[in-house]
Amino acid sequence: MEAKKEQAPKNGANKISLINRIKNRFRYLDLWLLIPIVAVMIFGDAMVYTASTNMATGSASSFLKKQALFGVLSLTAILIIFIFKIKWESKFINRAVLAVNIVILITMGITLLVGPVTSGAKGWIYIGSFGIQPVEYFKISMILYIAHRFARKIPKNKVWFPNIKLRDVMIPVIGIILTTLMPDMGGAIILILILAIVMTMAGVRKKALLTFLSVVVCLYIAIPFLLPVLGKLPFFQYQLARFDAYVNPWLAGDAGHQLINSYYAISNGGLFGRGLGNSIQKTGYLPEPNTDFIMAIVGEELGAITIWLVLIVFAVIIWRLIVMGIRARHMNQRLVLYGIATYIVVQILINLGGVVGALPITGVTFPMISYGGSSLLSWGITFGVALNIVGQIKSETMNYTIRKE
Protein backbone atom coordinates (compact mmCIF):
# COMPACT_ATOMS: atom_id res chain seq x y z
CA MET A 1 0.00 0.00 0.00
CA GLU A 2 2.84 2.38 0.88
CA ALA A 3 4.52 1.69 -2.49
CA LYS A 4 1.30 2.58 -4.29
CA LYS A 5 0.95 5.82 -2.29
CA GLU A 6 4.50 6.78 -3.21
CA GLN A 7 3.92 5.95 -6.88
CA ALA A 8 0.87 8.20 -7.29
CA PRO A 9 2.68 11.52 -6.67
CA LYS A 10 5.47 10.43 -9.01
CA ASN A 11 3.00 9.75 -11.85
CA GLY A 12 1.31 13.07 -11.16
CA ALA A 13 4.66 14.83 -11.27
CA ASN A 14 5.46 13.17 -14.62
CA LYS A 15 2.16 14.40 -16.08
CA ILE A 16 2.85 17.94 -14.85
CA SER A 17 6.37 17.74 -16.26
CA LEU A 18 5.04 16.61 -19.65
CA ILE A 19 2.48 19.46 -19.72
CA ASN A 20 5.20 21.95 -18.83
CA ARG A 21 7.44 20.62 -21.61
CA ILE A 22 4.61 21.00 -24.13
CA LYS A 23 3.88 24.54 -22.89
CA ASN A 24 7.58 25.39 -23.13
CA ARG A 25 7.67 23.98 -26.65
CA PHE A 26 4.85 26.29 -27.76
CA ARG A 27 7.02 29.26 -26.81
CA TYR A 28 8.91 28.57 -30.04
CA LEU A 29 5.86 28.19 -32.30
CA ASP A 30 6.50 30.57 -35.19
CA LEU A 31 3.41 32.68 -35.82
CA TRP A 32 4.95 34.17 -38.97
CA LEU A 33 4.39 30.73 -40.46
CA LEU A 34 1.36 29.40 -38.60
CA ILE A 35 -0.99 32.38 -39.09
CA PRO A 36 -0.53 32.61 -42.90
CA ILE A 37 -0.88 28.82 -43.20
CA VAL A 38 -4.17 28.78 -41.27
CA ALA A 39 -5.41 31.85 -43.19
CA VAL A 40 -4.75 30.14 -46.53
CA MET A 41 -6.54 26.98 -45.35
CA ILE A 42 -9.63 28.95 -44.31
CA PHE A 43 -9.61 30.86 -47.60
CA GLY A 44 -9.23 27.53 -49.43
CA ASP A 45 -12.33 26.14 -47.68
CA ALA A 46 -14.36 29.15 -48.81
CA MET A 47 -13.14 28.87 -52.40
CA VAL A 48 -13.72 25.10 -52.55
CA TYR A 49 -17.30 25.70 -51.42
CA THR A 50 -18.05 28.40 -53.99
CA ALA A 51 -16.18 26.61 -56.81
CA SER A 52 -18.09 23.34 -56.17
CA THR A 53 -21.62 24.72 -56.47
CA ASN A 54 -22.22 23.14 -59.89
CA MET A 55 -20.29 19.87 -59.58
CA ALA A 56 -22.01 16.74 -60.91
CA THR A 57 -20.40 14.42 -58.34
CA GLY A 58 -21.59 16.10 -55.14
CA SER A 59 -22.99 19.17 -53.44
CA ALA A 60 -20.92 22.20 -52.47
CA SER A 61 -21.56 21.47 -48.78
CA SER A 62 -20.21 17.91 -49.13
CA PHE A 63 -17.00 19.20 -50.72
CA LEU A 64 -16.69 21.85 -47.99
CA LYS A 65 -17.18 19.32 -45.17
CA LYS A 66 -14.51 17.01 -46.55
CA GLN A 67 -12.06 19.86 -47.17
CA ALA A 68 -12.69 21.32 -43.70
CA LEU A 69 -12.23 17.87 -42.11
CA PHE A 70 -8.88 17.40 -43.78
CA GLY A 71 -8.00 20.97 -42.90
CA VAL A 72 -8.49 20.08 -39.22
CA LEU A 73 -6.49 16.86 -39.69
CA SER A 74 -3.78 18.82 -41.46
CA LEU A 75 -3.58 21.39 -38.65
CA THR A 76 -3.52 18.57 -36.10
CA ALA A 77 -0.61 16.96 -37.98
CA ILE A 78 1.22 20.31 -37.97
CA LEU A 79 0.89 20.70 -34.20
CA ILE A 80 1.70 17.06 -33.38
CA ILE A 81 4.88 17.12 -35.47
CA PHE A 82 5.81 20.50 -34.00
CA ILE A 83 5.49 19.34 -30.38
CA PHE A 84 8.14 16.61 -30.63
CA LYS A 85 11.76 17.62 -30.23
CA ILE A 86 13.26 15.76 -33.17
CA LYS A 87 17.01 15.46 -33.66
CA TRP A 88 17.02 15.71 -37.44
CA GLU A 89 20.76 15.01 -37.65
CA SER A 90 20.57 11.74 -35.68
CA LYS A 91 21.14 8.28 -37.17
CA PHE A 92 17.71 7.14 -35.95
CA ILE A 93 15.92 9.89 -37.88
CA ASN A 94 18.11 9.18 -40.92
CA ARG A 95 17.08 5.52 -40.86
CA ALA A 96 13.42 6.43 -40.24
CA VAL A 97 13.44 8.83 -43.21
CA LEU A 98 15.06 6.15 -45.38
CA ALA A 99 12.40 3.62 -44.32
CA VAL A 100 9.55 6.07 -45.04
CA ASN A 101 10.99 6.81 -48.49
CA ILE A 102 11.24 3.10 -49.30
CA VAL A 103 7.64 2.48 -48.17
CA ILE A 104 6.38 5.39 -50.30
CA LEU A 105 8.38 4.20 -53.33
CA ILE A 106 6.88 0.71 -52.96
CA THR A 107 3.42 2.30 -52.75
CA MET A 108 4.16 4.34 -55.88
CA GLY A 109 5.25 1.15 -57.66
CA ILE A 110 2.01 -0.62 -56.65
CA THR A 111 0.02 2.40 -57.81
CA LEU A 112 1.79 2.34 -61.16
CA LEU A 113 1.06 -1.38 -61.62
CA VAL A 114 -2.52 -1.74 -60.37
CA GLY A 115 -3.82 1.78 -59.76
CA PRO A 116 -6.80 3.05 -61.75
CA VAL A 117 -6.30 5.62 -64.48
CA THR A 118 -7.40 9.04 -63.22
CA SER A 119 -7.08 12.06 -65.56
CA GLY A 120 -4.78 10.10 -67.84
CA ALA A 121 -2.38 8.87 -65.13
CA LYS A 122 -2.03 6.08 -62.57
CA GLY A 123 -1.24 8.43 -59.71
CA TRP A 124 -3.86 7.37 -57.17
CA ILE A 125 -4.43 4.39 -54.91
CA TYR A 126 -7.82 4.06 -53.22
CA ILE A 127 -8.72 2.80 -49.76
CA GLY A 128 -12.49 2.62 -49.89
CA SER A 129 -13.66 6.02 -51.10
CA PHE A 130 -10.51 7.81 -49.94
CA GLY A 131 -7.83 8.33 -52.57
CA ILE A 132 -4.14 8.73 -51.77
CA GLN A 133 -1.62 10.24 -54.16
CA PRO A 134 1.73 8.78 -52.99
CA VAL A 135 3.86 11.28 -54.93
CA GLU A 136 2.48 14.12 -52.75
CA TYR A 137 3.99 12.46 -49.67
CA PHE A 138 7.17 11.55 -51.52
CA LYS A 139 7.92 15.24 -52.09
CA ILE A 140 8.47 15.99 -48.38
CA SER A 141 10.08 12.62 -47.64
CA MET A 142 12.53 13.20 -50.52
CA ILE A 143 13.35 16.67 -49.19
CA LEU A 144 14.23 15.17 -45.79
CA TYR A 145 16.30 12.44 -47.45
CA ILE A 146 18.38 14.65 -49.74
CA ALA A 147 18.84 17.26 -47.00
CA HIS A 148 20.41 14.65 -44.73
CA ARG A 149 22.55 13.20 -47.52
CA PHE A 150 23.85 16.46 -48.95
CA ALA A 151 24.38 18.15 -45.58
CA ARG A 152 27.42 15.91 -45.10
CA LYS A 153 28.97 16.51 -48.53
CA ILE A 154 32.01 18.73 -48.96
CA PRO A 155 32.09 20.66 -52.27
CA LYS A 156 35.16 20.20 -54.48
CA ASN A 157 36.40 23.05 -56.67
CA LYS A 158 37.23 20.86 -59.66
CA VAL A 159 33.84 19.25 -60.08
CA TRP A 160 30.35 20.50 -60.74
CA PHE A 161 28.79 18.58 -57.89
CA PRO A 162 29.83 17.82 -54.31
CA ASN A 163 31.28 14.44 -53.43
CA ILE A 164 28.12 12.54 -54.41
CA LYS A 165 27.81 8.78 -54.72
CA LEU A 166 25.11 6.91 -56.61
CA ARG A 167 23.34 5.88 -53.40
CA ASP A 168 22.92 9.54 -52.44
CA VAL A 169 20.59 10.19 -55.38
CA MET A 170 19.19 6.68 -55.89
CA ILE A 171 15.92 7.25 -54.02
CA PRO A 172 15.15 10.63 -55.67
CA VAL A 173 15.95 9.21 -59.12
CA ILE A 174 13.72 6.15 -58.60
CA GLY A 175 10.92 8.42 -57.39
CA ILE A 176 11.28 10.71 -60.41
CA ILE A 177 11.26 7.73 -62.81
CA LEU A 178 8.13 6.20 -61.20
CA THR A 179 6.37 9.59 -61.25
CA THR A 180 7.25 10.07 -64.92
CA LEU A 181 5.97 6.60 -65.83
CA MET A 182 2.58 7.16 -64.17
CA PRO A 183 2.78 9.62 -66.07
CA ASP A 184 2.64 12.64 -63.74
CA MET A 185 4.77 15.19 -65.54
CA GLY A 186 3.92 18.00 -63.11
CA GLY A 187 4.99 15.92 -60.12
CA ALA A 188 8.18 14.81 -61.90
CA ILE A 189 9.12 18.41 -62.73
CA ILE A 190 8.59 19.47 -59.11
CA LEU A 191 10.78 16.62 -57.84
CA ILE A 192 13.55 17.43 -60.36
CA LEU A 193 13.58 21.12 -59.44
CA ILE A 194 13.58 20.41 -55.69
CA LEU A 195 16.52 18.02 -56.14
CA ALA A 196 18.44 20.48 -58.33
CA ILE A 197 17.96 23.49 -56.04
CA VAL A 198 18.71 21.64 -52.79
CA MET A 199 21.88 20.28 -54.40
CA THR A 200 22.75 23.84 -55.38
CA MET A 201 22.30 25.05 -51.81
CA ALA A 202 24.45 22.15 -50.63
CA GLY A 203 27.40 23.45 -52.64
CA VAL A 204 26.97 22.74 -56.33
CA ARG A 205 28.83 25.30 -58.42
CA LYS A 206 26.89 28.12 -60.09
CA LYS A 207 28.04 26.89 -63.50
CA ALA A 208 26.11 23.66 -62.95
CA LEU A 209 22.94 25.53 -61.99
CA LEU A 210 23.20 27.83 -65.01
CA THR A 211 23.69 24.83 -67.28
CA PHE A 212 20.65 23.11 -65.78
CA LEU A 213 18.48 26.22 -66.16
CA SER A 214 19.68 26.66 -69.76
CA VAL A 215 18.59 23.10 -70.58
CA VAL A 216 15.16 23.72 -68.99
CA VAL A 217 14.67 26.95 -70.99
CA CYS A 218 15.75 25.25 -74.23
CA LEU A 219 13.28 22.41 -73.67
CA TYR A 220 10.54 24.95 -72.93
CA ILE A 221 11.24 26.77 -76.20
CA ALA A 222 11.45 23.49 -78.13
CA ILE A 223 8.02 22.19 -77.02
CA PRO A 224 6.08 23.38 -80.13
CA PHE A 225 8.71 21.86 -82.44
CA LEU A 226 8.84 18.51 -80.59
CA LEU A 227 5.08 17.88 -80.63
CA PRO A 228 4.88 16.44 -84.20
CA VAL A 229 7.64 13.95 -83.36
CA LEU A 230 6.34 13.00 -79.90
CA GLY A 231 2.80 12.62 -81.28
CA LYS A 232 3.91 9.52 -83.20
CA LEU A 233 4.83 7.70 -79.97
CA PRO A 234 2.32 5.13 -78.62
CA PHE A 235 2.30 6.55 -75.08
CA PHE A 236 1.79 9.83 -73.16
CA GLN A 237 -1.00 10.78 -75.59
CA TYR A 238 -3.08 12.43 -72.85
CA GLN A 239 -0.11 14.57 -71.79
CA LEU A 240 0.75 15.41 -75.41
CA ALA A 241 -2.81 16.65 -75.92
CA ARG A 242 -2.21 19.08 -73.08
CA PHE A 243 0.96 20.30 -74.79
CA ASP A 244 -1.09 20.84 -77.95
CA ALA A 245 -3.52 22.93 -75.91
CA TYR A 246 -0.60 24.94 -74.52
CA VAL A 247 0.68 25.75 -78.02
CA ASN A 248 -2.77 26.74 -79.35
CA PRO A 249 -5.86 25.87 -77.26
CA TRP A 250 -8.28 27.00 -80.00
CA LEU A 251 -6.91 24.36 -82.40
CA ALA A 252 -6.56 21.55 -79.83
CA GLY A 253 -10.20 20.45 -79.72
CA ASP A 254 -11.42 19.15 -76.34
CA ALA A 255 -7.89 19.35 -74.93
CA GLY A 256 -7.97 23.15 -75.20
CA HIS A 257 -11.44 23.50 -73.65
CA GLN A 258 -10.19 23.90 -70.08
CA LEU A 259 -7.55 26.52 -70.86
CA ILE A 260 -9.90 28.60 -73.02
CA ASN A 261 -12.48 28.73 -70.23
CA SER A 262 -9.74 29.62 -67.77
CA TYR A 263 -8.96 32.61 -69.99
CA TYR A 264 -12.64 33.58 -69.97
CA ALA A 265 -12.81 33.28 -66.17
CA ILE A 266 -9.80 35.52 -65.61
CA SER A 267 -11.08 38.01 -68.19
CA ASN A 268 -14.54 38.07 -66.58
CA GLY A 269 -13.05 38.78 -63.16
CA GLY A 270 -10.85 41.69 -64.14
CA LEU A 271 -9.21 43.55 -61.27
CA PHE A 272 -11.86 43.22 -58.55
CA GLY A 273 -13.99 40.24 -59.67
CA ARG A 274 -17.69 39.60 -60.20
CA GLY A 275 -18.32 38.89 -56.51
CA LEU A 276 -18.05 35.77 -54.37
CA GLY A 277 -20.28 33.02 -55.79
CA ASN A 278 -20.92 34.81 -59.10
CA SER A 279 -18.59 32.86 -61.38
CA ILE A 280 -19.98 32.03 -64.82
CA GLN A 281 -17.30 29.53 -65.86
CA LYS A 282 -17.88 27.19 -62.92
CA THR A 283 -21.43 26.51 -64.12
CA GLY A 284 -20.40 23.73 -66.48
CA TYR A 285 -17.90 25.54 -68.70
CA LEU A 286 -14.67 24.99 -66.74
CA PRO A 287 -14.14 21.27 -65.91
CA GLU A 288 -13.14 20.50 -62.30
CA PRO A 289 -13.10 24.15 -61.21
CA ASN A 290 -12.39 23.27 -57.57
CA THR A 291 -9.03 21.53 -58.18
CA ASP A 292 -6.36 22.46 -60.77
CA PHE A 293 -8.14 25.60 -61.97
CA ILE A 294 -9.47 26.94 -58.68
CA MET A 295 -7.33 30.08 -59.07
CA ALA A 296 -9.24 30.87 -62.26
CA ILE A 297 -12.42 30.91 -60.15
CA VAL A 298 -10.65 33.04 -57.52
CA GLY A 299 -9.76 35.48 -60.30
CA GLU A 300 -13.27 35.50 -61.75
CA GLU A 301 -15.11 35.97 -58.45
CA LEU A 302 -12.62 38.04 -56.43
CA GLY A 303 -10.39 39.54 -59.11
CA ALA A 304 -6.68 39.75 -59.85
CA ILE A 305 -6.21 41.77 -56.64
CA THR A 306 -7.13 38.72 -54.54
CA ILE A 307 -4.78 36.46 -56.49
CA TRP A 308 -1.96 38.90 -55.72
CA LEU A 309 -2.97 38.98 -52.04
CA VAL A 310 -2.81 35.17 -51.93
CA LEU A 311 0.65 35.29 -53.52
CA ILE A 312 1.76 37.89 -50.96
CA VAL A 313 0.66 35.60 -48.11
CA PHE A 314 2.66 32.75 -49.64
CA ALA A 315 5.59 35.15 -50.11
CA VAL A 316 5.53 35.73 -46.33
CA ILE A 317 5.68 31.94 -45.75
CA ILE A 318 8.54 31.52 -48.24
CA TRP A 319 10.41 34.54 -46.84
CA ARG A 320 10.15 33.15 -43.31
CA LEU A 321 11.42 29.72 -44.37
CA ILE A 322 14.43 31.27 -46.12
CA VAL A 323 15.22 33.65 -43.23
CA MET A 324 15.08 30.84 -40.67
CA GLY A 325 17.13 28.66 -43.02
CA ILE A 326 19.84 31.34 -43.03
CA ARG A 327 19.76 31.41 -39.22
CA ALA A 328 20.05 27.61 -38.93
CA ARG A 329 23.28 26.37 -37.37
CA HIS A 330 22.96 22.91 -38.94
CA MET A 331 23.15 22.37 -42.70
CA ASN A 332 20.52 19.64 -42.49
CA GLN A 333 17.93 22.06 -41.07
CA ARG A 334 18.87 24.72 -43.62
CA LEU A 335 18.47 22.39 -46.59
CA VAL A 336 15.09 21.11 -45.40
CA LEU A 337 13.72 24.66 -45.09
CA TYR A 338 15.17 25.64 -48.47
CA GLY A 339 13.69 22.48 -49.99
CA ILE A 340 10.21 23.24 -48.62
CA ALA A 341 10.44 26.84 -49.84
CA THR A 342 11.42 25.53 -53.29
CA TYR A 343 8.52 23.06 -53.23
CA ILE A 344 6.01 25.86 -52.55
CA VAL A 345 7.44 28.20 -55.20
CA VAL A 346 7.63 25.56 -57.93
CA GLN A 347 4.13 24.19 -57.27
CA ILE A 348 2.59 27.68 -57.34
CA LEU A 349 4.43 28.64 -60.54
CA ILE A 350 3.44 25.42 -62.36
CA ASN A 351 -0.21 25.70 -61.28
CA LEU A 352 -0.58 29.39 -62.16
CA GLY A 353 1.45 28.89 -65.33
CA GLY A 354 -1.11 26.31 -66.47
CA VAL A 355 -4.06 28.51 -65.46
CA VAL A 356 -2.87 31.51 -67.52
CA GLY A 357 -1.42 29.46 -70.40
CA ALA A 358 2.21 30.36 -69.73
CA LEU A 359 3.02 26.67 -69.12
CA PRO A 360 1.44 23.38 -70.29
CA ILE A 361 -1.32 22.05 -68.02
CA THR A 362 0.18 19.36 -65.79
CA GLY A 363 -2.53 18.63 -63.23
CA VAL A 364 -0.61 20.30 -60.38
CA THR A 365 -2.92 21.74 -57.71
CA PHE A 366 -2.53 25.08 -55.94
CA PRO A 367 -1.14 24.56 -52.40
CA MET A 368 -3.83 24.31 -49.67
CA ILE A 369 -6.50 26.05 -51.77
CA SER A 370 -7.33 23.41 -54.38
CA TYR A 371 -9.76 20.70 -53.28
CA GLY A 372 -8.15 17.44 -52.15
CA GLY A 373 -7.82 15.76 -48.77
CA SER A 374 -4.68 13.78 -49.57
CA SER A 375 -2.89 16.86 -50.89
CA LEU A 376 -3.96 18.99 -47.92
CA LEU A 377 -2.78 16.37 -45.42
CA SER A 378 0.60 16.13 -47.16
CA TRP A 379 0.94 19.92 -46.85
CA GLY A 380 0.12 19.58 -43.15
CA ILE A 381 2.99 17.13 -42.72
CA THR A 382 5.27 19.41 -44.75
CA PHE A 383 4.50 22.49 -42.65
CA GLY A 384 4.67 20.45 -39.45
CA VAL A 385 8.26 19.56 -40.34
CA ALA A 386 8.99 23.22 -41.20
CA LEU A 387 7.56 24.52 -37.92
CA ASN A 388 9.39 21.84 -35.93
CA ILE A 389 12.74 22.85 -37.44
CA VAL A 390 12.02 26.58 -37.14
CA GLY A 391 11.08 26.04 -33.48
CA GLN A 392 14.38 24.27 -32.85
CA ILE A 393 16.31 27.06 -34.58
CA LYS A 394 14.56 29.67 -32.39
CA SER A 395 15.23 27.58 -29.27
CA GLU A 396 18.92 27.13 -30.11
CA THR A 397 19.30 30.83 -30.95
CA MET A 398 17.63 31.89 -27.70
CA ASN A 399 19.70 29.49 -25.58
CA TYR A 400 22.91 30.58 -27.33
CA THR A 401 22.09 34.25 -26.65
CA ILE A 402 21.40 33.52 -22.94
CA ARG A 403 24.69 31.60 -22.57
CA LYS A 404 26.59 34.39 -24.30
CA GLU A 405 25.17 36.98 -21.91
Side-chain angles (χ1 to χ4, degrees), residues 86-89 147 151 321 324-325 327-339 388-390 392-393 396:
I86 302 171
K87 293 183 179 180
W88 295 100
E89 301 82 18
L321 291 171
M324 296 310 295
R327 293 182 186 176
R329 299 173 65 190
H330 302 285
M331 180 59 80
N332 184 292
Q333 295 176 338
R334 182 173 301 151
L335 293 181
V336 171
L337 294 182
Y338 287 166
N388 183 285
I389 292 175
V390 168
Q392 288 196 33
I393 293 169
E396 291 168 1

Side-chain angles (χ1 to χ4, degrees), residues 156-177:
K156 293 182 178 181
N157 294 328
K158 296 182 179 180
V159 295
W160 277 13
F161 298 96
N163 182 24
I164 296 174
K165 296 179 181 178
L166 181 60
R167 66 170 179 261
D168 295 322
V169 294
M170 183 64 72
I171 281 183
V173 168
I174 293 173
I176 291 168
I177 291 171

